[in-house]
Amino acid sequence: MVESTTKLPLHIKSQLVSLYNLAFPRVSPRIPRNIAWLDETSQKRVRFLLLNKSIVVSHAAVLTKNFRHADTQYLLAGFGGVMTHPDFRKKGFGSQIINRAARFIDKQNFDVAVLFCHRNHEVFYRRSGWEILANDDIFINEGTPIPQPQDELAMIRYISEKAIRNRERFENLPVYFGEAW
């Protein structure tokens, strides 16, 4: 397992772009099909890679951002880019990578962690401690001037005492996560 906050070698970047396009065929048009998105420096990002020799088997990323909700400031872990190469699926590698990333999230000073996924992945993430964010008013900004409602399933981990104490606010008040990660 590799944990990286540095720039990735070109052969790994190329594999990640290909893997992303395989894993998210309906999402990929929103993401540039080149490797520039792999070197974003505007947000703190930690990548988790599971390699078989020099082949990317599985990937996940954790992004850090400050986030304000209901007049309270939170440190947010955005969890995403979870993907496993088709040749290695159904062998536990995806679970390994999300469990490792979840342990990382839990050891940091995050208040809350959020991910968005297809509804058919709910059980997969629940096994690693994620729960549904029961709120129909969740918005992100995906390069448009007006925030868009999030149509994927939102899952959350309440980590800090502050987040746990304010759980009801997350469930009952509109949530605007800002720029998509």
Side-chain angles (χ1 to χ4, degrees):
M1 180 89 58
V2 176
E3 185 177 311
S4 174
T5 57
T6 61
K7 290 189 175 188
L8 299 169
L10 185 58
H11 73 282
I12 298 292
K13 289 181 190 179
S14 298
Q15 288 182 63
L16 287 175
V17 169
S18 296
L19 184 55
Y20 190 91
N21 291 329
L22 281 171
F24 305 107
R26 290 176 287 169
V27 177
S28 296
R30 294 189 309 196
I31 305 297
R33 290 187 182 260
N34 59 35
I35 58 177
W37 62 271
L38 292 169
D39 281 334
E40 292 180 55
T41 56
S42 62
Q43 298 173 320
K44 183 179 175 190
R45 178 187 315 257
V46 177
R47 295 186 182 281
F48 299 88
L49 297 164
L50 189 55
L51 304 173
N52 180 359
K53 298 181 183 169
S54 62
I55 305 296
V56 175
V57 172
S58 204
H59 169 274
V62 174
L63 286 79
T64 301
K65 86 189 247 184
N66 289 306
F67 158 71
R68 188 165 191 78
H69 177 60
D71 295 325
T72 303
Q73 191 73 25
Y74 298 94
L75 182 58
L76 173 72
F79 187 65
V82 178
M83 49 194 174
T84 299
H85 190 282
D87 292 346
F88 297 96
R89 290 185 185 155
K90 304 291 184 197
K91 297 178 182 175
F93 297 117
S95 294
Q96 280 182 25
I97 205 95
I98 66 167
N99 288 333
R100 174 62 188 97
R103 284 192 306 274
F104 169 83
I105 288 169
D106 290 343
K107 289 179 181 177
Q108 305 302 311
N109 292 321
F110 292 114
D111 295 303
V112 66
V114 174
L115 68 82
F116 299 102
C117 66
H118 295 285
R119 295 191 182 281
N120 60 343
H121 293 137
E122 175 188 345
V123 172
F124 177 71
Y125 288 108
R126 277 188 182 272
R127 286 192 301 248
S128 295
W130 295 87
E131 58 187 278
I132 292 176
L133 175 53
N135 185 328
D136 292 330
D137 294 319
I138 299 170
F139 300 89
I140 59 173
N141 185 336
E142 293 191 287
T144 60
I146 299 170
Q148 302 297 310
Q150 179 58 37
D151 56 356
E152 291 184 304
L153 179 65
M155 298 193 78
I156 192 165
R157 289 171 70 109
Y158 299 98
I159 301 166
S160 71
E161 288 299 319
K162 174 173 58 174
I164 292 167
R165 191 172 53 248
N166 291 320
R167 177 188 185 115
E168 195 170 293
R169 290 180 176 183
F170 280 95
E171 294 174 351
N172 296 314
L173 298 173
V175 182
Y176 172 62
F177 287 110
E179 291 292 323
W181 53 85

